[in-house]
Amino acid sequence: MTQQSMTMAKALNEGLRRAMEKDRKVLLMGEDIGKLGGVFRITDGLQKDFGEDRVIDAPLAESAIVGTSVGLAIRGYRTVVEIQFDGFVYPAFDQIVSQVAKLHKRSAGVYTMGLVIRLPFQGGIGAIEHHSESPEAYFVHTAGLRVVVCSTPNDAYWMIQQSVEHDDPIIFCEPKSRYWEKGEVDLDNPPYGLFDAVVRRPGTDVTVVAWGSMVKTALRAADVAAEEGVSLEVIDARSLSPLDLDTIATSVEKTGRLVVVQEAPPTASVGSEIVAAVTERCFYSLRAPGTRVSAYHVPYPPSRIEDAYRPSVDRVMDAIDRVMGYDQ
Amino acid sequence: MTQQSMTMAKALNEGLRRAMEKDRKVLLMGEDIGKLGGVFRITDGLQKDFGEDRVIDAPLAESAIVGTSVGLAIRGYRTVVEIQFDGFVYPAFDQIVSQVAKLHKRSAGVYTMGLVIRLPFQGGIGAIEHHSESPEAYFVHTAGLRVVVCSTPNDAYWMIQQSVEHDDPIIFCEPKSRYWEKGEVDLDNPPYGLFDAVVRRPGTDVTVVAWGSMVKTALRAADVAAEEGVSLEVIDARSLSPLDLDTIATSVEKTGRLVVVQEAPPTASVGSEIVAAVTERCFYSLRAPGTRVSAYHVPYPPSRIEDAYRPSVDRVMDAIDRVMGYDQ
Amino acid sequence: MISDELVQLLTPEGERVSHPEYRSELGRDEILGFYRDMVIVRRLCNESTSLQRQGQLALWAPLQGQEAAQIGAGRALAPMDFSFPSYREHGVAWTRGVPPRDMLRIFRATTTGGWDPQQYRHSLPMVVLGDQTLHAVGYAMGIQRDGAEEAVMTFFGDGASSQGDVLESFVWAASFNAPVVFVLQNNQWAISEPTSLQTKIPLYHRAHGFGFPGVRVDGNDVLAMYEVAKRALDNARAGGGPTLIEAYTYRMGAHTTSDDPTRYRVDAEVEVWRHRDPIERVKALLAREFGVHKVTFDEVAAEAEQLALQLREDVLAMDAPDPTMMFDHVYAESHPLVEAGRREMIELGISGGH
Amino acid sequence: MISDELVQLLTPEGERVSHPEYRSELGRDEILGFYRDMVIVRRLCNESTSLQRQGQLALWAPLQGQEAAQIGAGRALAPMDFSFPSYREHGVAWTRGVPPRDMLRIFRATTTGGWDPQQYRHSLPMVVLGDQTLHAVGYAMGIQRDGAEEAVMTFFGDGASSQGDVLESFVWAASFNAPVVFVLQNNQWAISEPTSLQTKIPLYHRAHGFGFPGVRVDGNDVLAMYEVAKRALDNARAGGGPTLIEAYTYRMGAHTTSDDPTRYRVDAEVEVWRHRDPIERVKALLAREFGVHKVTFDEVAAEAEQLALQLREDVLAMDAPDPTMMFDHVYAESHPLVEAGRREMIELGISGGH
Ligand SMILES: Cc1ncc(C[n+]2csc(CCOP(=O)(O)OP(=O)(O)O)c2C)c(N)n1
Ligand SMILES: Cc1ncc(C[n+]2csc(CCOP(=O)(O)OP(=O)(O)O)c2C)c(N)n1
Ligand SMILES: [Mg+2]
Ligand SMILES: [Mg+2]
């Protein structure tokens, strides 16, 4: 087993490189992804090695980036699109929702929409407005799309490759605040299936589901809780569409309590979905109502106060206390 | 009390007329809303009476329709935008989510975004693709917007006026399959507040929450259930953001059972939100898990089979049977 | 001539006119072929309108008046080229070999597609205004990467010309010098809105502002349409980049069968355009210049009649699909929510041609 | 002259050149005023860059090189006109009277706004590329409905020129003949992308395709910018409709303080543009033509220095807001979810300058 320690940014870069080496139909397209290597350097060096025809610096228009990727898909290419920041995906919303999500269906399976839309998402980097959003719910709600989130370098390396190989369109969410954190990457074997949720830390009292940046927050909360004698089982959802409800439900049946931690605002969110779906499946096992720890129902605030907006360990612990106190 | 029987389409038309008479800053803008009166004739005759400056036939670009309405709002106008069909709102998504929803906040309250975006939505009219969608969840998830739905002519008449007068941006959803159904309109007094849910039929066994076209489906299900000896309390949610959770929770505390009926696909939907929020508030009252009856997680199908996609009385009854059977 | 700017090779009276840049050298058989195409697509269109009136179709978008624009452009395509239509291009679909019954499936609302777009190298109808233009440019970028000598053609209307996606597709086509030909059918109306609402100057000028050629063609002149389209496609295949062709034409009928044009336009305008009929002028030319006889025209009419009958028969035989088809092809690979939906539907007994 | 197409009234050497259509009749005081503006905004910009380097700002988007484009355009605005900037228009904000400290609030990340846009008749920075152009056109439509003699100016970059929203704003401005002036600052770069990626021809041509005038101006020549902008605004106020002004200029610095331009452009290019500095040429003109002395220039420099000091002081005094401010002004009227959030935060003890 070849192990290597690298940042998530590097793991994505290496994963993309490997995907491009394997299949010459794989293209990258986005703003500033060529010479600059993208504002986060995820595509660093790839244009130099694969040429301008395969690593395409795009004119500044997100709808066109996605729309032309659809045309390339019809021609048999697989484009990995980089949206520079979460908040700039909305101009492409029509192409994503009405075309990317529906053309496989509309063509009765003839068109393969095997494109990947990379979305550096979530906050926590002290950025200005529109650079810290968590728009996953919009895409999870949309039939025809799949949505996955990496939270470790190893997952980043493998999930990006699995996404490129997968025939359905995938919104690939990258927690930008974790880009520079290092972790071990196994260069030989993927750790899990692309759509599997994973228990990151086993526990017995409360099931905590998180994704992206919030996995680490949940794990820190688990440390704190352990000191207080409460055992959290932390699940990294990894795939938001489809959700791996089996893994989550199995855990909830054991713990009897569910807390979902998300950076997105609460209403009609992925958190709402997990709570609703798990309640339906585990009604008799639940000793407390499934509880969400979310951002607030307000626009992303100026980043000087973002720590009060994004779920913190404190807020997670507050929810843990609430669900633990329920049946006492 | 002046009562008049009219269709929902006519009620909207009269409501818009009254709003325009009251305030000369009220404008209408949309595709084909002038001479044609809109493809559903909701604005019939208004351009003739209020002139081309106030009833604006727009070039065909939804992003521009919404974006220029934002500019008009900054100038002090209140524009009621007509999006021709639900499926054509996505090109305007960026302007709605990043501007309409956020400019009041961004300007620290200086800009009033008092615009209304009318969205003929939901299916059931035998239309071709993109003409029958239920995109409400996207807007409900978005902080800064409000989302309301009329389901009767009386509500249509009053809610459109209340929406125009309200200072926040409102996504005004109109169940197009109900446009031609008649009902009594009270021309003197609004029946309810704009953001109130309303019990359309009192009952004791199951709380059924619906909106738009599905209110009628829920009421029909209540008739069927009554014959089977099950008493449904049907609530018309009317406002989806904010949700009137007090009214819903009060009902659920009484019935102990919740079924949400929506035309939208299930995942991360308004139905998910209602189930999650009600479960949190009424955990000990619930005798069965909150249950959703939704469309399926597939793109809107060809309309010849739309009746199998949209929740039917049969599917609602199936859910009623399930929640009634839970604690037996 | 309608305007100085217009490329026209055949007057409404069927007389040839010369043009400094374009000339038609087509012979009798080719022109007769165009004539046949136009007569057939008009006949099929009328049949579709009456099928709709009889409740057999959910909707129909008639092409009447635009036969020359569509047949001229469509016939200029080479077999390996690929085309991306909007929703009114039944004439183009005909030139690509799409069976008429397949064109009607979407309007009978039994499918959201209708044919195998790769087989005919003609994409599916696009209802969202303008979205297809970006697909066309992307496809053209694929052609460039394959080093293939192929071109793409995409169709949109005067109304759609205002959409951001269409305008972005111009930016991209120019930036990447993509082998794409944009065919803007300016039929003067976007439902109830006249073209003057979308633009104050002729639409073909728009291309110049993006740095590629734009040409305005008499869209009711099939010879001019064919020549201009062919040159633009040849140029694209040879690496010359995009062209915008504005086919100046007229929507003789309603926007769709749901529309009532009497609310917004006057008969006199329609009458003016009736005299510019795209079919009559070719018929006059064929008769005069090539001595084509009435019997030949009658044969074409009879063939069209036959196809219309066949179409009617095919449409009436099209049943609603099994509702579980909504779960097919949502994803290329299995998805738990889709499978759960399918199971639920089967358990509820809704499936099975209900 | 950089190109024949360019309106230029003052060479990089500070010599006047004549132009068939435009001439400057400004006197000493006005030109000195422009000089002062440019010196000050450059100095404030540099101060902001160092504040960012010292960790006092989250980000900074320098305007260096674009002072003439912004001051010329901004000074052409009448008090009642309204302007819609992008995120780099600190110079324009200065001409509108926005206090420098307020411009920096967004970059200190203590707000997503920063000033009262109605008070200064200058909208808030727009980070989403191009969205503001539609707001400008809508606002201009409001002016038309009010029968007011006012105009709107909106700013965007060469990169943003590819966005659908910008192009739709051209469609609308033309269709409604809106009193709006588009100022496209073509600073040659969109982060790492050269303008040649967005277009193969000069960007001002784009307006012609939409049916309104486009002019390319030497964006480093404040006199030319002022005259062209003033004429365009006068024309707009008089009902003459929109104009696109392409200010041909150069981004001397990094895109923002997060950017590293050495990865994508060569120093030699920057050097060429250093010789076209917008401030030096005005200084030369003032000295030669109006006999302005060193002491005056020194006074301006001292004033700029003073303002920079003041800015630094103001910025350092800007504390993080109370986190509960995130719940203010989300809605104009009370919203239960927002109030619940506020309550939760207060109960958790997070608020209170934490
Ligand atoms: C994005 C979008 N907005 C609105 C519509 C509704 N709509 C369908 S056709 C049409 C008019 C289109 O006119 P034009 O582009 O000139 O094409 P034509 O119908 O004349 O062929 C409109 C507004 C749509 N299909 N898509
Ligand atoms: C819709 C959108 N997409 C992407 C970005 C990220 N972004 C910020 S500035 C920029 C480059 C803009 O270049 P240009 O328009 O030339 O303006 P300049 O920065 O040169 O002033 C990009 C890509 C954005 N802000 N908005
Ligand atoms: Mg048209
Ligand atoms: Mg630039």
Side-chain angles (χ1 to χ4, degrees):
Chain A
M1 187 168 99
T2 329
Q3 287 254 11
Q4 203 176 307
S5 170
M6 59 179 93
T7 62
M8 183 185 288
K10 182 66 181 166
L12 287 165
N13 179 273
E14 290 292 335
L16 286 170
R17 175 180 294 278
R18 204 156 141 179
M20 295 190 76
E21 279 163 1
K22 264 198 251 173
D23 180 356
R24 62 159 213 91
K25 293 284 189 182
V26 175
L27 310 177
L28 311 187
M29 175 145 58
E31 297 164 2
D32 303 293
I33 68 166
K35 271 195 190 157
L36 187 63
V39 293
F40 290 111
R41 310 291 185 266
I42 305 300
T43 56
D44 193 24
L46 297 178
Q47 189 181 64
K48 200 170 124 273
D49 295 344
F50 295 98
E52 293 188 7
D53 263 6
R54 293 190 62 195
V55 179
I56 307 171
D57 258 337
L60 301 197
E62 286 76 9
S63 191
I65 292 175
V66 174
T68 55
S69 296
V70 166
L72 281 159
I74 294 175
R75 181 73 188 186
Y77 284 87
R78 284 176 185 260
T79 308
V80 183
V81 161
E82 174 172 306
I83 299 290
Q84 200 162 77
F85 285 89
D86 34 65
F88 308 136
V89 72
Y90 307 124
F93 204 71
D94 172 58
Q95 284 286 347
I96 295 175
V97 165
S98 295
Q99 306 302 338
V100 173
K102 293 182 178 146
L103 269 165
H104 184 68
K105 173 73 190 169
R106 199 178 294 147
S107 67
V110 170
Y111 289 160
T112 298
M113 288 292 115
L115 41 81
V116 178
I117 301 180
R118 290 185 39 240
L119 214 61
F121 88 134
Q122 298 179 324
I125 61 160
I128 60 169
E129 208 185 350
H130 311 288
H131 290 70
S132 308
E133 311 214 333
S134 297
E136 62 266 32
Y138 299 125
F139 304 112
V140 169
H141 183 60
T142 307
L145 303 176
R146 293 175 188 259
V147 182
V148 302
V149 190
C150 57
S151 80
T152 70
N154 199 33
D155 269 0
Y157 179 75
W158 286 108
M159 288 173 79
I160 190 68
Q161 294 182 61
Q162 290 166 324
S163 295
V164 172
E165 279 169 22
H166 190 87
D167 275 346
D168 288 319
I170 294 184
I171 309 291
F172 191 91
C173 301
E174 304 169 1
K176 63 174 91 73
S177 65
R178 306 293 185 222
Y179 272 153
W180 310 112
E181 294 182 6
K182 278 197 167 183
E184 289 300 309
V185 172
D186 174 350
L187 298 173
D188 299 327
N189 294 300
Y192 313 106
L194 181 56
F195 305 110
D196 294 343
V198 167
V199 176
R200 293 285 180 202
R201 171 177 173 140
T204 52
D205 295 327
V206 185
T207 300
V208 180
V209 180
W211 52 93
S213 64
M214 286 295 117
V215 173
K216 192 172 165 187
T217 305
L219 289 170
R220 289 215 311 263
D223 287 339
V224 175
E227 284 170 27
E228 299 180 4
V230 178
S231 163
L232 307 190
E233 175 144 304
V234 176
I235 295 183
D236 181 349
R238 294 174 85 254
S239 172
L240 304 182
S241 177
L243 278 163
D244 179 359
L245 283 175
D246 289 341
T247 298
I248 299 172
T250 302
S251 172
V252 171
E253 270 153 23
K254 180 176 68 178
T255 61
R257 298 181 192 85
L258 169 69
V259 169
V260 184
V261 185
Q262 59 182 357
E263 267 205 57
T267 319
S269 64
V270 179
S272 325
E273 178 59 31
I274 294 175
V275 169
V278 169
T279 305
E280 241 173 284
R281 277 178 67 155
C282 310
F283 188 64
Y284 286 126
S285 310
L286 279 167
R287 304 165 67 181
T291 295
R292 292 164 282 168
V293 184
S294 313
Y296 295 103
H297 184 76
V298 305
Y300 202 92
S303 56
R304 283 289 287 273
I305 55 171
E306 68 183 336
D307 289 346
Y309 173 81
R310 304 169 67 222
S312 59
V313 171
D314 276 3
R315 284 183 59 212
V316 176
M317 285 311 299
D318 187 64
I320 299 293
D321 288 349
R322 258 183 293 145
V323 296
M324 287 303 292
Y326 231 83
D327 49 358
Q328 276 158 13
Chain B
M1 188 168 96
T2 330
Q3 286 254 13
Q4 202 177 310
S5 170
M6 60 179 91
T7 62
M8 182 184 289
K10 182 66 180 165
L12 287 165
N13 179 273
E14 290 292 334
L16 287 170
R17 175 180 294 279
R18 206 157 137 176
M20 295 188 78
E21 279 163 358
K22 262 196 255 175
D23 181 355
R24 62 157 214 90
K25 292 285 190 182
V26 174
L27 310 176
L28 311 188
M29 176 148 55
E31 296 163 2
D32 302 294
I33 67 166
K35 272 194 190 158
L36 187 62
V39 294
F40 291 111
R41 309 291 185 266
I42 305 300
T43 56
D44 194 23
L46 297 179
Q47 189 180 63
K48 200 170 123 274
D49 295 345
F50 294 98
E52 293 189 8
D53 263 6
R54 293 190 62 195
V55 179
I56 308 170
D57 259 336
L60 301 196
E62 286 75 9
S63 191
I65 292 175
V66 174
T68 55
S69 298
V70 166
L72 281 159
I74 294 175
R75 181 74 187 184
Y77 285 87
R78 284 176 184 261
T79 308
V80 183
V81 161
E82 174 172 306
I83 299 290
Q84 200 162 78
F85 285 90
D86 35 64
F88 308 135
V89 72
Y90 307 124
F93 203 71
D94 172 57
Q95 285 286 347
I96 296 174
V97 165
S98 294
Q99 307 302 338
V100 173
K102 293 182 178 145
L103 269 166
H104 184 69
K105 173 72 190 169
R106 199 178 294 147
S107 66
V110 170
Y111 289 160
T112 298
M113 288 290 116
L115 42 80
V116 179
I117 300 180
R118 291 184 39 237
L119 215 62
F121 87 135
Q122 298 178 324
I125 61 160
I128 61 171
E129 208 185 351
H130 311 288
H131 290 69
S132 309
E133 310 214 334
S134 297
E136 61 267 32
Y138 298 125
F139 304 112
V140 170
H141 183 60
T142 306
L145 303 176
R146 293 176 188 257
V147 183
V148 302
V149 190
C150 56
S151 82
T152 69
N154 199 32
D155 269 359
Y157 179 74
W158 287 107
M159 290 173 77
I160 191 69
Q161 294 183 62
Q162 291 167 323
S163 295
V164 172
E165 279 169 22
H166 190 87
D167 275 347
D168 288 319
I170 294 185
I171 310 290
F172 191 91
C173 301
E174 304 169 2
K176 65 174 90 75
S177 66
R178 305 293 185 223
Y179 272 152
W180 310 114
E181 293 181 8
K182 279 196 167 184
E184 289 302 310
V185 172
D186 174 349
L187 297 173
D188 299 327
N189 294 300
Y192 313 105
L194 181 55
F195 305 110
D196 294 343
V198 167
V199 175
R200 294 286 181 203
R201 172 180 173 138
T204 52
D205 295 328
V206 185
T207 301
V208 180
V209 180
W211 52 92
S213 65
M214 286 294 117
V215 174
K216 192 170 166 187
T217 306
L219 289 170
R220 289 214 313 262
D223 287 338
V224 175
E227 284 170 28
E228 298 180 5
V230 177
S231 163
L232 307 190
E233 176 145 304
V234 176
I235 295 182
D236 181 350
R238 295 175 83 254
S239 172
L240 304 182
S241 177
L243 278 164
D244 179 359
L245 283 175
D246 290 340
T247 298
I248 299 172
T250 303
S251 172
V252 171
E253 270 154 23
K254 179 176 68 178
T255 62
R257 299 181 190 86
L258 169 70
V259 169
V260 184
V261 186
Q262 60 181 358
E263 267 205 56
T267 319
S269 63
V270 179
S272 324
E273 178 59 31
I274 295 175
V275 168
V278 169
T279 305
E280 241 173 283
R281 279 178 65 152
C282 312
F283 187 63
Y284 286 126
S285 310
L286 280 166
R287 305 166 66 181
T291 295
R292 291 164 284 167
V293 185
S294 313
Y296 295 103
H297 185 73
V298 306
Y300 202 92
S303 57
R304 284 291 287 272
I305 56 171
E306 68 183 337
D307 289 347
Y309 174 80
R310 305 170 68 222
S312 58
V313 172
D314 277 2
R315 283 182 60 212
V316 175
M317 285 311 299
D318 188 63
I320 299 294
D321 289 349
R322 258 183 295 142
V323 295
M324 287 303 291
Y326 232 80
D327 50 359
Q328 278 157 10
Chain C
M1 284 261 271
I2 300 166
S3 141
D4 281 356
E5 308 165 306
L6 211 62
V7 178
Q8 191 189 58
L9 300 177
L10 195 62
T11 68
E13 293 70 38
E15 269 153 38
R16 288 191 189 264
V17 279
S18 68
H19 186 276
E21 280 187 64
Y22 295 94
R23 60 185 280 183
S24 168
E25 296 189 331
L26 297 176
R28 172 193 183 281
D29 290 356
E30 285 129 327
I31 298 178
L32 185 57
F34 291 171
Y35 173 81
R36 172 178 168 272
D37 287 338
M38 292 194 290
V39 168
I40 287 172
V41 298
R42 177 174 293 180
R43 181 65 190 85
L44 294 179
C45 177
N46 291 340
E47 192 65 24
S48 305
T49 299
S50 50
L51 279 164
Q52 200 282 334
R53 297 262 175 262
Q54 292 153 15
Q56 295 298 333
L57 298 178
L59 186 82
W60 179 246
L63 62 63
Q64 212 193 323
Q66 302 176 220
E67 294 87 352
Q70 296 189 15
I71 297 300
R75 284 293 172 208
L77 286 161
M80 288 306 291
D81 293 339
F82 206 99
S83 38
F84 287 87
S86 179
Y87 45 82
R88 202 187 293 284
E89 279 70 62
H90 324 301
V92 183
W94 167 260
T95 67
R96 306 301 282 163
V98 177
R101 66 171 170 278
D102 289 347
M103 299 179 207
L104 266 68
R105 292 184 196 281
I106 201 173
F107 294 99
R108 194 161 164 90
T110 58
T111 174
T112 49
W115 61 83
D116 179 337
Q118 296 285 11
Q119 177 185 346
Y120 301 106
R121 306 190 74 69
H122 184 63
S123 201
L124 297 161
M126 177 57 65
V127 174
V128 190
L129 292 175
D131 281 20
Q132 74 280 7
T133 59
L134 286 170
H135 307 167
V137 173
Y139 191 97
M141 290 167 69
I143 292 176
Q144 290 177 306
R145 276 153 188 77
D146 292 342
E149 263 197 44
E150 300 167 24
V152 182
M153 187 175 265
T154 183
F155 295 83
F156 60 98
D158 45 296
S161 74
S162 294
Q163 287 281 359
D165 273 15
V166 172
L167 298 165
E168 289 183 4
S169 81
F170 290 179
V171 173
W172 285 59
S175 274
F176 294 104
N177 201 39
V180 60
V181 177
F182 297 102
V183 179
L184 190 177
Q185 288 177 83
N186 178 355
N187 63 5
Q188 316 293 322
W189 292 95
I191 310 187
S192 74
E193 300 189 346
T195 307
S196 58
L197 188 60
Q198 321 290 337
T199 183
K200 299 295 178 205
I201 63 167
L203 281 166
Y204 74 97
H205 285 306
R206 210 158 269 181
H208 307 149
F210 291 88
F212 60 94
V215 197
R216 183 180 259 199
V217 187
D218 180 347
N220 287 15
D221 171 359
V222 74
L223 299 187
M225 274 304 297
Y226 176 81
E227 293 303 331
V228 173
K230 191 157 183 316
R231 172 126 20 126
L233 287 164
D234 286 346
N235 179 57
R237 280 188 224 100
T243 301
L244 169 64
I245 299 174
E246 180 189 355
Y248 195 79
T249 179
Y250 195 77
R251 194 195 79 206
M252 295 297 291
H255 170 69
T256 64
T257 45
S258 301
D259 180 36
D260 174 11
T262 63
R263 293 179 70 103
Y264 54 80
R265 73 182 189 187
V266 294
D267 281 352
E269 183 182 289
V270 184
E271 270 319 299
V272 170
W273 280 89
R274 207 176 297 286
H275 293 294
R276 298 180 186 148
D277 187 71
I279 298 183
E280 285 311 312
R281 68 180 79 180
V282 178
K283 191 173 180 183
L285 176 77
L286 283 169
R288 196 180 51 248
E289 193 169 305
F290 297 104
V292 175
H293 283 296
K294 179 165 179 306
V295 38
T296 305
F297 295 131
D298 288 349
E299 272 167 29
V300 171
E303 187 189 0
E305 206 57 38
Q306 185 50 44
L307 284 164
L309 270 177
Q310 184 63 50
L311 179 64
R312 166 169 294 267
E313 207 172 285
D314 291 346
V315 166
L316 296 184
M318 262 176 224
D319 284 332
D322 186 296
T324 57
M325 77 79 96
M326 73 177 74
F327 302 107
D328 300 338
H329 305 302
V330 176
Y331 293 94
E333 304 187 19
S334 164
H335 189 291
L337 283 175
V338 174
E339 293 321 318
R342 190 195 302 272
R343 274 195 310 277
E344 181 190 313
M345 190 177 282
I346 291 170
E347 276 163 25
L348 287 173
I350 289 171
S351 72
H354 173 86
Chain D
M1 285 260 273
I2 298 164
S3 141
D4 281 355
E5 308 165 304
L6 212 61
V7 178
Q8 192 187 58
L9 301 178
L10 194 63
T11 67
E13 292 71 37
E15 270 150 39
R16 289 191 189 263
V17 280
S18 69
H19 186 276
E21 280 187 65
Y22 296 93
R23 60 185 281 184
S24 167
E25 297 188 332
L26 297 176
R28 174 192 182 279
D29 290 356
E30 284 130 327
I31 299 178
L32 184 58
F34 291 171
Y35 173 80
R36 173 178 168 273
D37 287 337
M38 293 194 290
V39 169
I40 287 172
V41 299
R42 178 174 294 180
R43 181 64 190 85
L44 294 178
C45 176
N46 291 341
E47 191 64 24
S48 306
T49 299
S50 50
L51 280 163
Q52 199 283 333
R53 297 264 176 260
Q54 291 153 16
Q56 296 297 334
L57 299 177
L59 186 80
W60 180 246
L63 61 64
Q64 213 194 321
Q66 301 176 220
E67 294 87 353
Q70 297 188 13
I71 297 300
R75 284 293 172 207
L77 286 161
M80 288 305 292
D81 293 340
F82 206 101
S83 39
F84 288 87
S86 181
Y87 45 82
R88 201 187 293 285
E89 279 71 62
H90 324 301
V92 183
W94 167 259
T95 68
R96 305 301 280 163
V98 178
R101 63 170 171 278
D102 289 346
M103 300 178 204
L104 265 67
R105 292 184 196 281
I106 201 173
F107 294 100
R108 193 161 165 91
T110 58
T111 174
T112 49
W115 61 82
D116 179 337
Q118 297 285 12
Q119 177 185 346
Y120 302 105
R121 305 191 74 70
H122 184 63
S123 201
L124 297 161
M126 178 57 64
V127 174
V128 189
L129 293 175
D131 282 20
Q132 72 280 7
T133 59
L134 287 170
H135 307 168
V137 173
Y139 191 97
M141 290 168 70
I143 291 177
Q144 291 177 307
R145 277 155 188 75
D146 292 341
E149 262 197 46
E150 300 167 25
V152 182
M153 187 175 264
T154 182
F155 295 82
F156 59 97
D158 44 295
S161 75
S162 294
Q163 287 283 359
D165 273 15
V166 172
L167 298 164
E168 290 182 2
S169 81
F170 290 179
V171 173
W172 285 58
S175 275
F176 294 103
N177 201 41
V180 60
V181 176
F182 298 101
V183 179
L184 190 177
Q185 288 177 83
N186 179 354
N187 63 5
Q188 317 293 321
W189 292 95
I191 309 187
S192 74
E193 301 189 345
T195 308
S196 58
L197 189 60
Q198 321 291 337
T199 184
K200 299 295 178 207
I201 63 167
L203 281 165
Y204 74 97
H205 286 305
R206 211 159 268 180
H208 308 150
F210 290 88
F212 61 93
V215 198
R216 183 180 260 199
V217 187
D218 180 346
N220 287 16
D221 171 358
V222 73
L223 299 186
M225 274 303 298
Y226 176 80
E227 294 303 331
V228 173
K230 192 156 180 322
R231 173 130 13 131
L233 287 165
D234 286 344
N235 178 57
R237 281 189 223 100
T243 302
L244 169 65
I245 300 174
E246 180 189 356
Y248 195 79
T249 179
Y250 194 76
R251 192 194 80 207
M252 295 299 290
H255 169 69
T256 64
T257 45
S258 301
D259 179 38
D260 174 10
T262 63
R263 291 180 71 103
Y264 54 80
R265 74 182 188 188
V266 295
D267 282 351
E269 184 183 288
V270 185
E271 271 318 300
V272 170
W273 281 89
R274 207 176 297 286
H275 293 295
R276 299 181 186 149
D277 186 70
I279 298 184
E280 286 310 313
R281 67 180 77 179
V282 178
K283 193 174 178 181
L285 176 76
L286 284 168
R288 197 181 48 250
E289 195 170 306
F290 297 104
V292 175
H293 284 295
K294 182 169 178 301
V295 41
T296 305
F297 295 131
D298 287 349
E299 273 166 28
V300 171
E303 186 190 1
E305 205 57 37
Q306 184 50 42
L307 284 164
L309 270 176
Q310 183 64 51
L311 179 64
R312 167 170 294 264
E313 209 173 284
D314 291 346
V315 165
L316 296 183
M318 263 176 222
D319 283 334
D322 187 296
T324 56
M325 77 78 97
M326 73 178 72
F327 302 107
D328 300 337
H329 306 303
V330 176
Y331 293 93
E333 305 187 19
S334 165
H335 189 291
L337 283 174
V338 174
E339 294 321 317
R342 190 195 301 272
R343 273 195 309 277
E344 181 189 314
M345 191 176 281
I346 291 170
E347 276 162 25
L348 287 172
I350 289 171
S351 71
H354 173 90

